[in-house]
Amino acid sequence: MTYQDEYGMSVNQPESFWQEKAAALPWFTQPKHILSKDENGMDRWFADGEMNTCYMAVDYHVEQGRGAQAALIYDSPVSDTKYTVSYAELQEKVAIFAGALQDKGVTKGDRVVIYMPMITEAVVAMLAVARLGAIHSVVFGGFAPNELAVRIDDAQPKVIVTASCGIEIQKIIPYKPLINEAIELAEHKPDSVIVLQRPQVVAELDRAHDADWTACVAAAKPVAPVPVKGTDPLYILYTSGTTGTPKGVVRDNGGHAVALHYSMKAIYDVDVGDVYWAASDVGWVVGHSYIVYGPLLKGCTTVVYEGKPVRTPDAGGFWRMCEEYKITTLFAAPTAFRAIKKEDPNGELIGQYDLSHLRNIFMAGERLDPPTYEWTVAKTGKPVIDHWWQTETGWAICGNLLGVETKAPKPGSATVPTPGFNVVILDDDGNALPANTQGSIAIKLPLPPSCLPSIWNNFPRFQESYLSEFPGYYCSGDGGYIDDDGYVFIMGRTDDVINIAGHRLSTGEMEEVVADHNAVAECTVIGVKDELKGQLPVGLVILKDGVEIDEATLFAELKAMMVKQIGPIACFKEALIVGRLPKTRSGKILRKILRQMADNQPYVVPSTIDDPASLDEIKDIMQSKGLI
Ligand code: COA
Ligand code: AMP
């Protein structure tokens, strides 16, 4: 089967293509309606299939005789702990914790927020929620209480599951005070908060709704997987949009399981028993798809790593892991490799480890810049595969399909569209653009399995954000082009989303934080290039008349506000006091031009600009500060 055959079938006969892929999974009732419409008129996959994702990912493997195989490898250089959990042990832990959640009143369709560091109990909690047919919403530990509160109010969880602390590089972060603050800020109050006590910090369980994980588990009885429909939601994952309110991306059980199971062989070329490591965090989509569900659905061994690519303890951490656990497939964000390259430019640490089991290195989450690509290939001697995807899709939209047909890589390109994704480049009026012409990257409907059918409780926002710009297409929010050979080049976002160290954040949300400062009359936040983290946010600020504050003080105060409102991962870089901002005559800030200027991209100054000199003024300031 060539890539062309596989891809052609997926877009020309999507129903028979995906029916065949679905048949590879153990459904309770195989789906007969492969593609149908829901009440919103959205395409839905496998509506009448009955299944349970936790059963498919755990119990099924035990039934197949893989009970003794390692399901999870836990390696935590920050707490000096290592162990493995077999599939049989995982089944037991998940069934009991599902019982504990059931004792707290969680049933099918209820939401459970999980705010945990990279420990195996986070995976157990996610699978236990799925086992009950309930819906998890994992929130990344680097988000501040305010962000957590916004998610609590939107998802309205019955239970929150957390741990007593997270551990960063030489820094222990107690989680319980953050949870308490978030619950205080939120209007919705959960019935229970289950806390896993870690040895580094003992959390005070001082509120009526607090419960101890170990005590809950000791009192619980194991429960069996609850059947759900293919279209029932498995999880909500919040991601940054262009406004301050994050979008709750909804993921189906059926389409998700089918797409991820298919991707394990087609994209990553892994088989049952391979050791697959996505060095991300369960708080991000990569963690959901490729630390938890993908590898377990396939029957691989997956890795839960509580550490960083560098400084835990050194830039050899990734390679030590690859040797120690005979990892076959490594997946991380380019920023991780830039961090390693910075500390070990000649790859001396790489040479100290046996990487003979490692077959491929995959990268995603942000643009893979050619120098990082070349360095990683040269120093590891391994194929490096760029692939492009989004929280909204849950798996790669473009990649090099190693399990179908390997294409020659082109640095700077995420290679070709994944089967199921009909990728096109459109101009502002929605017309298809010819090869090598840059435009908006869109996907012709129907979207393949696993892609979001809606935003949680907000279909109008889903339509407005993704479907209204180009009718009949999903608008990705990324710009780029397709070359003569059909290779797709992703050039960056066309909206107010930026990517900091592989973390997706909204400049719109940051703008709201800056605007809250009492010295600020007007502002905008743009992403500037950063050698290590890809992009960093810079604020352009007009002060209120009569206010006197120096730039350094303003910056320090704004940075503290960012940490408090969004979290430390916001990494606010600089605040620049400017006299004016480029605007249209109707008073709208020309963010697109500022973004293009910051990216060193060519831009056309629109005729509607009110004050063209304002743009040159900002350019001069940014150049003088070495920001562009
Ligand atoms: N909980 C609490 N705080 C967190 C956190 C978490 N889970 N994750 C990050 N932070 C904090 C960090 O401690 C740091 O705080 P500080 O500014 O007070 O020191 C801040 O957020 C910024 O963190 P980060 O951007 O991660 O910077 P870093 O210097 O600690 O590490 C890298 C830099 C490149 C090593 C790191 O960003 C990295 O590993 N990136 C890969 C990201 C990734 O895998 N993304 C997933 C997408 S596929
Ligand atoms: P997230 O939803 O957090 O996974 O972020 C998705 C965004 O990250 C995309 O819309 C892109 O802007 C960017 N991104 C992810 N993978 C790639 C890639 N391989 N190349 C370029 N950009 C990428």
Side-chain angles (χ1 to χ4, degrees), residues 140-142 168-169 171 173 175 279-281 284 286 308-311 333 335-336 339 364-365 501-503 532-533 568-569 571:
F140 178 60
E168 281 291 289
I169 301 173
K171 188 167 62 176
I173 301 160
Y175 275 13
S280 177
D281 186 290
W284 304 110
V286 172
K308 300 261 176 178
V310 293
R311 290 178 281 149
T335 193
H503 306 146
L532 175 64
K533 297 192 177 182
I569 49 163
C571 300

Side-chain angles (χ1 to χ4, degrees), residues 229-357:
K229 294 281 183 217
T231 43
D232 282 337
L234 169 68
Y235 69 77
I236 308 165
L237 179 58
Y238 289 87
T239 190
S240 298
T242 51
T243 69
T245 322
K247 296 189 271 204
V249 167
V250 176
R251 189 83 61 220
D252 279 359
N253 273 279
H256 174 252
V258 172
L260 291 197
H261 183 262
Y262 169 65
S263 74
M264 292 306 289
K265 183 67 193 170
I267 297 179
Y268 301 100
D269 196 21
V270 297
D271 290 297
V272 173
D274 279 338
V275 186
Y276 181 101
W277 179 27
S280 177
D281 186 290
V282 288
W284 304 110
V285 67
V286 172
H288 281 63
S289 296
Y290 293 111
I291 293 174
V292 185
Y293 291 109
L296 295 180
L297 284 162
K298 187 69 188 174
C300 297
T301 298
T302 187
V303 181
V304 177
Y305 176 69
E306 193 182 25
K308 300 261 176 178
V310 293
R311 290 178 281 149
T312 55
D314 59 28
F318 273 22
W319 320 121
R320 192 263 305 162
M321 291 284 293
C322 289
E323 175 183 292
E324 193 165 337
Y325 302 112
K326 300 186 169 47
I327 285 163
T328 52
T329 310
L330 169 62
F331 173 3
T335 193
F337 295 91
R338 287 197 296 270
I340 294 170
K341 179 180 162 199
K342 196 164 162 227
E343 297 197 8
D344 183 23
N346 301 320
E348 278 149 19
L349 290 167
I350 301 175
Q352 292 176 14
Y353 296 94
D354 172 11
L355 301 186
S356 56
H357 291 89

Side-chain angles (χ1 to χ4, degrees), residues 430-444:
N431 304 308
L433 286 167
N436 302 311
T437 314
Q438 199 162 318
S440 294
I441 311 181
I443 303 164
K444 194 168 188 299

Side-chain angles (χ1 to χ4, degrees), residues 500-532:
I500 305 168
H503 306 146
R504 171 170 162 182
L505 292 158
S506 159
T507 52
E509 181 171 11
M510 294 182 188
E511 242 167 73
E512 288 176 22
V513 175
V514 176
D516 251 3
H517 190 286
N518 54 20
V520 174
E522 264 190 282
C523 66
T524 188
V525 174
I526 54 173
V528 298
K529 281 214 159 69
D530 180 73
E531 280 266 304
L532 175 64

